[in-house]
């Protein structure tokens, strides 16, 4: 079973708008990561946030983590058509070694 | 881009035949993973390796075996392919520990007819 679950499953917005995706997970984590997947390609790492961090920024990306609610959000500001992709959160499924466990993803479409 | 190559990129095979997918890395990363991606299921872990000859099962390991005889190569074998194993297979690598990102290959699209 997936550790993380993204919400919504699909999101359609206009260029320039902000896009927010959420990830909920079930068990305690050491860190949470977000990845992007363009159609037909492998996943690309976007950002990692540790369990003792609450917010992290990278360019137009803003990630928050609320360990008390076991949830994270990914905000993409001023979206572009090139942001059209699927976005996945990944958590470590077990203590000790890092085994990334992925959710089902959010499919984002940004209309020009 | 991280040095990770999957081969073949596309394969069509018949039910009951053995199939081996190869993942090759040039990054000397300790961890290597095999995932399959299917519509509605996201990425599911098949097997992973945490060193040469050190492997373990993931969530959907039935019908699959793996081998890692060298740091750079991680092989996934379908002993007797079934139609339910039609999928896109991704290899990923990471250095080690809880603070490491994973780098993905471009994927292998496998069709079992």
């Amino acid at each position: 079973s997936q550790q993380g679950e993204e919400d919504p499953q699909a999101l359609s917005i206009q260029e320039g708008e902000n896009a927010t995706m959420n990830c909920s997970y079930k068990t305690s984590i050491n860190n949470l990561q977000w990845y992007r997947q363009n159609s037909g390609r492998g996943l690309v790492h976007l950002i990692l946030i540790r369990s003792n961090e609450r917010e992290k920024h990278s360019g137009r990306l803003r990630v928050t983590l609320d360990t008390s609610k076991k949830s994270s959000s990914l905000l993409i500001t001023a979206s572009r058509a090139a942001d059209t992709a699927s976005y996945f959160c990944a958590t470590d499924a077990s203590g000790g070694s890092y085994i990334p466990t992925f959710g089902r993803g959010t499919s984002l479409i940004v209309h020009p | 881009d991280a040095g990770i190559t999957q081969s073949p990129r596309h394969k069509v095979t018949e039910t009951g035949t053995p199939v081996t997918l190869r993942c090759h890395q040039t990054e000397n990363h300790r961890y290597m993973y095999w995932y399959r991606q299917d519509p509605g299921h996201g990425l599911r872990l098949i097997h992973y390796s945490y060193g040469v000859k050190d492997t373990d099962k993931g969530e959907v390991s039935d019908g699959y075996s793996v081998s890692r005889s060298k740091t750079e190569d991680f092989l996934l074998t379908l002993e007797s392919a079934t139609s339910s194993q039609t999928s896109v297979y991704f290899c990923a690598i990471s250095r080690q520990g809880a603070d490491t990102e994973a780098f993905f290959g471009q994927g292998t699209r496998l069709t079992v007819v």
Side-chain angles (χ1 to χ4, degrees):
Chain A
S1 61
Q2 260 83 5
Q3 159 74 318
E5 292 293 342
E6 294 87 349
D7 173 67
Q9 290 186 0
L11 184 60
S12 180
I13 60 174
Q14 296 295 129
E15 214 167 25
E17 294 180 341
N18 294 342
T20 300
M21 289 156 266
N22 303 296
C23 171
S24 59
Y25 56 92
K26 299 171 186 173
T27 62
S28 297
I29 60 172
N30 294 316
N31 66 65
L32 185 144
Q33 301 186 35
W34 284 92
Y35 289 79
R36 183 188 75 232
Q37 183 182 34
N38 291 94
S39 181
R41 308 293 296 270
L43 279 71
V44 174
H45 181 262
L46 295 176
I47 198 163
L48 178 152
I49 186 165
R50 297 188 178 89
S51 59
N52 62 352
E53 298 176 311
R54 291 296 167 259
E55 188 171 310
K56 206 160 184 180
H57 297 255
S58 177
R60 293 184 296 113
L61 306 180
R62 173 178 170 254
V63 169
T64 61
L65 179 64
D66 187 334
T67 54
S68 67
K69 295 181 179 178
K70 292 187 171 59
S71 67
S72 174
S73 67
L74 170 66
L75 168 67
I76 304 174
T77 59
S79 62
R80 306 165 182 169
D83 294 326
T84 293
S86 291
Y87 292 82
F88 295 85
C89 67
T91 60
D92 52 337
S94 59
S97 60
Y98 178 70
I99 309 299
T101 303
F102 291 83
R104 293 182 173 85
T106 292
S107 175
L108 172 67
I109 297 176
V110 182
H111 300 278
Chain B
D1 290 345
I4 177 170
T5 306
Q6 290 184 232
S7 60
R9 292 292 312 280
H10 302 270
K11 186 169 182 68
V12 180
T13 193
E14 293 187 348
T15 298
T17 60
V19 177
T20 295
L21 308 183
R22 181 185 184 229
C23 178
H24 178 78
Q25 62 148 328
T26 58
E27 305 295 324
N28 201 35
H29 282 2
R30 177 182 177 188
Y31 285 84
M32 299 186 76
Y33 314 91
W34 277 108
Y35 292 90
R36 59 178 290 174
Q37 186 174 32
D38 305 287
H41 290 279
L43 276 85
R44 293 180 291 175
L45 182 68
I46 305 171
H47 282 278
Y48 68 97
S49 170
Y50 47 97
V52 173
K53 291 185 169 48
D54 292 323
T55 64
D56 206 347
K57 297 178 180 180
E59 177 188 358
V60 290
S61 60
D62 287 348
Y64 301 95
S65 62
V66 290
S67 67
R68 191 168 178 199
S69 58
K70 298 184 292 185
T71 299
E72 57 266 35
D73 289 326
F74 192 32
L75 304 180
L76 176 70
T77 297
L78 290 66
E79 303 291 345
S80 178
T82 67
S83 58
S84 65
Q85 293 175 312
T86 292
S87 187
V88 180
Y89 291 85
F90 286 99
C91 176
I93 61 174
S94 69
R95 283 199 313 272
Q96 65 181 42
D99 289 344
T100 53
E101 64 184 277
F103 299 93
F104 280 77
Q106 292 302 301
T108 295
R109 184 173 294 277
L110 177 68
T111 303
V112 183
V113 298

